[in-house]
Amino acid sequence: MAKVILLSGSPNKIGNTMDVLKECKKSIENENVEAEIISLSGKNIRGCTGCRKCKEIKKCIIDDGLNDILFKVKEAEGFIIGAPVYFGTPRGDLMNAIQRIGMVSYGTDRFLSWKVGGPVAIGRRGGLSTTYQEMLMFYFINEMIVPGSSYWNIVFGKAPGDALKDTEGIESTTRFASNVAKLINKIN
Ligand SMILES: Cc1cc2nc3c(=O)[nH]c(=O)nc-3n(C[C@H](O)[C@H](O)[C@H](O)COP(=O)(O)O)c2cc1C
């Protein structure tokens, strides 16, 4: 069965990013595609040092748990990223993670190519569009396929539970997740 990995970039195991990704997971499963949420909560993912050792060893040389995520992404057909907005941008940890995943893909067999997915930005008020756009740079340089939806993938929420109250945000974002699964089924 095809599979989508949903990566939460929030430090909070319970919170808005997780709530949004859980809704996306249900939409993906409704299309008969498997879905697994992975959280960066409790992890301390370091930044890419540009050492290029990944070319030789086919994984990242930094031993902080990123490779476990990387191999799950490599095996999956889809990759959705939930990005909480911090100071108008995606959270630093999350950028560390995706830059290292991108570097290993780039330096080896370009395993990210043709994976289907896209970003979802979650924030209180400002910087959601810029966060969404910044995350898209990762998708497009890695030859990934990003389906659209009825709106851009942004959901408003501050305190845990708020995001689920943004019905328009949840509707368009779960529609996007469902489109990811539909596209994977078509490609397969
Ligand atoms: C350090 C920090 C910076 C933040 N910066 C922004 C921001 O620039 N714009 C915004 O809309 N929300 C901002 N927020 C609010 C979070 O994006 C929002 O609370 C989000 O729902 C958190 O997701 P989580 O519950 O999954 O952790 C910030 C929160 C923190 C802790």
Side-chain angles (χ1 to χ4, degrees):
M1 201 192 237
K3 187 168 180 180
V4 177
I5 296 295
L6 301 105
L7 178 65
S8 165
S10 172
N12 302 311
K13 235 192 174 77
I14 299 166
N16 288 319
T17 308
M18 193 50 93
D19 283 347
V20 170
L21 292 186
K22 279 183 183 162
E23 293 302 307
C24 291
K25 183 177 188 279
K26 281 188 234 163
S27 301
I28 293 165
E29 288 167 346
N30 282 342
E31 299 297 329
N32 295 319
V33 171
E34 210 182 315
E36 180 182 347
I37 301 175
I38 300 174
S39 171
L40 290 186
S41 171
K43 298 188 172 68
N44 188 10
I45 302 296
R46 290 161 52 193
C48 179
T49 62
C51 70
R52 296 176 199 275
K53 284 274 189 317
C54 49
K55 269 191 159 183
E56 290 161 38
I57 65 169
K58 317 285 183 220
K59 61 179 182 177
C60 185
I61 197 154
I62 304 171
D63 184 18
D64 59 0
L66 187 272
N67 282 321
D68 296 341
I69 301 172
L70 184 149
F71 287 126
K72 286 202 176 217
V73 172
K74 187 172 180 172
E75 292 307 309
E77 283 76 14
F79 186 31
I80 291 174
I81 302 172
V85 181
Y86 273 29
F87 289 89
T89 60
R91 199 169 154 258
D93 241 28
L94 178 59
M95 296 313 281
N96 285 353
I98 66 170
Q99 285 167 3
R100 281 168 58 198
I101 292 170
M103 196 61 178
V104 177
S105 173
Y106 230 80
T108 57
D109 58 355
R110 296 193 68 111
F111 60 80
L112 289 173
S113 297
W114 280 77
K115 289 198 194 299
V116 181
V120 179
I122 299 107
R124 181 182 73 86
R125 193 176 177 87
L128 286 99
S129 296
T130 39
T131 297
Y132 174 72
Q133 286 166 358
E134 249 180 68
M135 301 289 296
L136 282 175
M137 300 296 268
F138 165 81
Y139 282 88
F140 291 132
I141 197 173
N142 285 301
E143 219 174 356
M144 298 167 85
I145 305 166
V146 181
S149 183
S150 51
Y151 201 79
W152 301 290
N153 305 329
I154 60 173
V155 185
F156 289 95
K158 182 185 177 189
D162 281 354
L164 292 177
K165 295 180 208 148
D166 176 12
T167 43
E168 188 184 354
I170 294 292
E171 260 170 43
S172 58
T173 302
T174 52
R175 191 183 178 105
F176 155 76
S178 158
N179 287 341
V180 167
K182 283 180 179 148
L183 192 51
I184 288 172
N185 285 333
K186 279 199 187 277
I187 291 171
N188 281 352

